[in-house]
Amino acid sequence: MYTLEHRELQEGEFWREIPVFAKVSQNEFLDYKWQIKNSISDLIKLAETIKGVVSDDFIVAISKGFHFAPMNVRVTPYLLSLIDWNDPWNDPIRKQFIPVSTQLIEDHPMLTLDSLHEQKDAPVSGLTHRYIDKALFLTVNACPVYCRFCTRSYAIGADTETVKKVDLYLNSKHWENAFQYIESRPELEDVVISGGDTYNLSAEALKKIGFRLLQMPNIQRIRFATKGLAVMPMKILSDEKWLDALTEVFLLGRKLHKQVAIHTHFNNAKEITMISKRAMDKLFERGITIRNQSVLLRGVNDTYEKMQLLVKRLSYINVQPYYVFQHDMVKGVEDLRTCVKTAIEIEKNVRGVTAGFNTPTFVLDAPGGGGKRCIHSYEYYNRETGVSVYTAPSVKPGKYFMYFDPFHSLSEEIRQAWRDQKKRQQMCLDAIYHSGVGACSRLA
Ligand SMILES: *Cc1c(COP(=O)(O)O)cnc(C)c1O
Ligand code: SF4
């Protein structure tokens, strides 16, 4: 049996169902400036926008949720219109962007804020050089929206009531330091230009960064990382200056025989509408490669049916599903994490539904800086205590890295054990012993 649901993209003027957007014309809605101007980043405005379409207890739950969140809230009118307000509690888009207090769960005691140790592997502020031939360059600390589960909640967006952000000093002086470092390392061939979100770079900045990197003899590949395509495709349709700047970078790359690509971030098939397709078609016509990196999120895409639909729909709009990430061990969003075993099951059910080159690799970015590892490649996995152990011989030889399944997936007895300092250490030691990796030098 097959389904063609992946080709059924939402169209029409769906935003008009929200009372405050009822009079918004198609021209206005497709204008990225209108989207930016009407994006919602404070509780009062959000409550006003959805008043009358949701119950009062939902409003109470989001006002409490705002206080605990490690990330600021910011959503575009486009995303708000895609949320099913008849059932906001379970909506996959709402879950990613708007915290509700009643769904927050106790954090696993092993969670941290910068779980990937990006700052530790940074030779200059904002540039992480962990893998030999590629580097991650953070250029800007703002995004068109803020995801509750952001890995960089330690730095992205403004301070919240619970998190004071690290200042990475992402300005043109910093860019110059990063450029000089990249130029000085002949082994570096590949730069991921990220943030924040490169949608928030001006056309001039995008060109400046792209040109400068492509002109370095050692650089062969660059990619711009942006969630923008998923949350505000209107920019591709209405910001000609920005699209032309991107195209110029792409064309320079082509002339120099170097690859320029965009990496974007869709998590649920509902986020892909007819508007997204029009934007992707426009990029496709210009020959620009787009790949997608999803995060596996509880209640958003953690069944194989949902993941299959996402993969097929991405492929349909010519976006290559590249990675699905196991949720990083960041604080404050435990409700969104899934177990390693969930990722393994979903992967098995996704492989085989479509072209191999459109089948994402399921990876775990090893906490503590081990880099991305295939989810299946653990040395040991205890499904009861939820500890998995990975190694990364090409990145950090001789070290091992542990991941901990979310608290809600464990039995009450095991949860109690994690709350106890001694038993906690014992469970880690056990896992390392069974993985046969050797010395326990990294156990703090
Ligand atoms: C993800 C990542 C990269 C790019 O890795 P790919 O597997 O090539 O997508 C580079 N540097 C850092 C620090 C990263 O986290
Ligand atoms: S768009 Fe990316 S960097 Fe920005 S908040 Fe979301 S996950 Fe974080």
Side-chain angles (χ1 to χ4, degrees):
M1 264 310 286
Y2 62 83
T3 132
L4 299 179
E5 197 186 341
H6 60 281
R7 298 187 207 158
E8 293 159 14
L9 305 183
Q10 177 147 14
E11 49 189 330
E13 303 190 339
F14 51 86
W15 57 89
R16 290 188 191 252
E17 281 172 33
I18 299 201
V20 293
F21 302 144
K23 295 210 174 78
V24 176
S25 69
Q26 168 138 330
N27 271 351
E28 259 179 313
F29 198 76
L30 292 185
D31 178 359
Y32 79 101
K33 286 195 196 126
W34 186 89
Q35 290 285 334
I36 293 175
K37 200 168 131 229
N38 290 283
S39 287
I40 288 176
S41 53
D42 70 82
L43 181 61
I44 294 167
K45 208 165 153 206
L46 178 61
E48 274 169 10
T49 306
I50 57 177
K51 209 170 58 193
V53 293
V54 293
S55 62
D56 288 344
D57 44 328
F58 184 76
I59 301 272
V60 171
I62 57 172
S63 41
K64 285 189 190 150
F66 266 59
H67 291 296
F68 298 109
M71 289 297 289
N72 292 118
V73 173
R74 187 174 172 82
V75 273
T76 54
Y78 172 65
L79 279 185
L80 275 179
S81 326
L82 291 175
I83 293 173
D84 175 7
W85 292 106
N86 292 318
D87 184 12
W89 303 98
N90 295 309
D91 185 89
I93 297 177
R94 196 284 302 158
K95 283 189 178 199
Q96 297 176 64
F97 300 99
I98 302 170
V100 304
S101 61
T102 49
Q103 293 179 348
L104 297 178
I105 316 184
E106 180 185 359
D107 276 341
H108 196 297
M110 304 300 275
L111 300 188
T112 57
L113 270 178
D114 175 14
S115 84
L116 302 181
H117 290 190
E118 289 188 327
Q119 296 170 87
K120 232 188 203 165
D121 280 345
V124 303
S125 176
L127 187 85
T128 301
H129 188 189
R130 169 172 303 149
Y131 305 93
I132 289 176
D133 81 343
K134 54 190 180 184
L136 171 68
F137 179 17
L138 305 183
T139 54
V140 55
N141 74 352
C143 308
V145 295
Y146 289 116
C147 314
R148 290 183 49 219
F149 49 90
C150 183
T151 288
R152 291 188 198 118
S153 58
Y154 67 88
I156 299 302
D159 294 346
T160 66
E161 286 179 37
T162 50
V163 178
K164 176 141 185 42
K165 309 282 167 171
V166 174
D167 190 348
L168 295 174
Y169 303 104
L170 307 181
N171 48 41
S172 37
K173 165 98 175 56
H174 144 79
W175 294 350
E176 196 45 47
N177 292 342
F179 291 144
Q180 285 176 15
Y181 176 84
I182 295 167
E183 262 169 342
S184 76
R185 302 298 292 247
E187 74 277 23
L188 261 182
E189 294 182 349
D190 184 340
V191 179
V192 181
I193 304 150
S194 187
D197 192 311
T198 52
Y199 241 44
N200 278 38
L201 291 171
S202 66
E204 292 78 18
L206 188 80
K207 236 164 76 176
K208 180 178 163 182
I209 294 172
F211 276 33
R212 180 73 194 268
L213 290 171
L214 286 173
Q215 279 156 355
M216 295 179 189
N218 53 325
I219 295 307
Q220 275 301 320
R221 296 172 290 279
I222 63 172
R223 20 182 160 151
F224 291 101
T226 171
K227 190 167 176 68
L229 295 184
V231 300
M232 203 199 289
M234 295 79 187
K235 188 172 172 86
I236 302 300
L237 301 173
S238 56
D239 189 351
E240 269 166 42
K241 199 169 157 214
W242 196 86
L243 184 60
D244 286 345
L246 176 69
T247 309
E248 278 182 57
V249 175
F250 171 75
L251 290 175
L252 177 67
R254 193 191 251 177
K255 206 163 111 197
L256 298 173
H257 309 147
K258 299 182 176 192
Q259 293 182 23
V260 178
I262 296 186
H263 282 210
T264 191
H265 178 185
F266 288 95
N267 289 324
N268 181 284
K270 246 178 90 165
E271 295 156 20
I272 303 172
T273 63
M274 215 52 186
I275 303 173
S276 333
K277 182 164 187 330
R278 281 178 55 196
M280 301 309 149
D281 285 350
K282 201 159 171 182
L283 292 168
F284 191 77
E285 281 164 19
R286 296 189 183 206
I288 301 175
T289 300
I290 309 161
R291 304 191 187 96
N292 188 66
Q293 307 189 174
S294 298
V295 179
L296 185 59
L297 297 165
R298 183 159 164 259
V300 173
N301 54 19
D302 64 335
T303 66
Y304 71 82
E305 292 93 342
K306 284 183 194 158
M307 192 58 83
Q308 285 177 346
L309 184 61
L310 174 63
V311 163
K312 292 274 287 187
R313 195 168 278 176
L314 285 167
S315 309
Y316 180 61
I317 60 165
N318 293 310
V319 174
Q320 185 190 348
Y322 173 48
Y323 278 144
V324 175
F325 284 96
Q326 180 73 10
H327 195 303
D328 290 323
M329 295 201 301
V330 285
K331 281 187 173 172
V333 282
E334 194 68 344
D335 56 305
L336 289 175
R337 282 208 302 142
T338 66
C339 308
V340 166
K341 53 182 178 270
T342 306
I344 289 172
E345 274 318 301
I346 295 176
E347 198 281 343
K348 286 184 198 168
N349 281 283
V350 166
R351 190 160 295 279
V353 300
T354 191
F357 53 78
N358 277 336
T359 302
T361 306
F362 283 62
V363 291
L364 178 142
D365 212 337
K372 299 169 187 74
R373 313 309 304 163
C374 171
I375 196 78
H376 293 290
S377 70
Y378 54 80
E379 307 295 332
Y380 175 71
Y381 179 25
N382 185 327
R383 291 168 189 237
E384 203 188 340
T385 61
V387 184
S388 45
V389 182
Y390 289 81
T391 53
S394 64
V395 183
K396 300 266 163 79
K399 298 222 158 142
Y400 54 85
F401 304 90
M402 282 183 287
Y403 183 85
F404 307 101
D405 281 350
F407 231 36
H408 59 75
S409 69
L410 308 172
S411 70
E412 185 46 39
E413 192 192 338
I414 298 287
R415 278 204 288 260
Q416 278 303 344
W418 279 112
R419 292 189 189 105
D420 180 305
Q421 184 81 34
K422 265 214 180 104
K423 289 185 184 156
R424 186 188 302 172
Q425 200 150 25
Q426 195 54 48
M427 286 187 284
C428 295
L429 286 170
D430 270 1
I432 290 153
Y433 173 77
H434 283 105
S435 66
V437 191
C440 316
S441 53
R442 285 193 70 257
L443 247 201

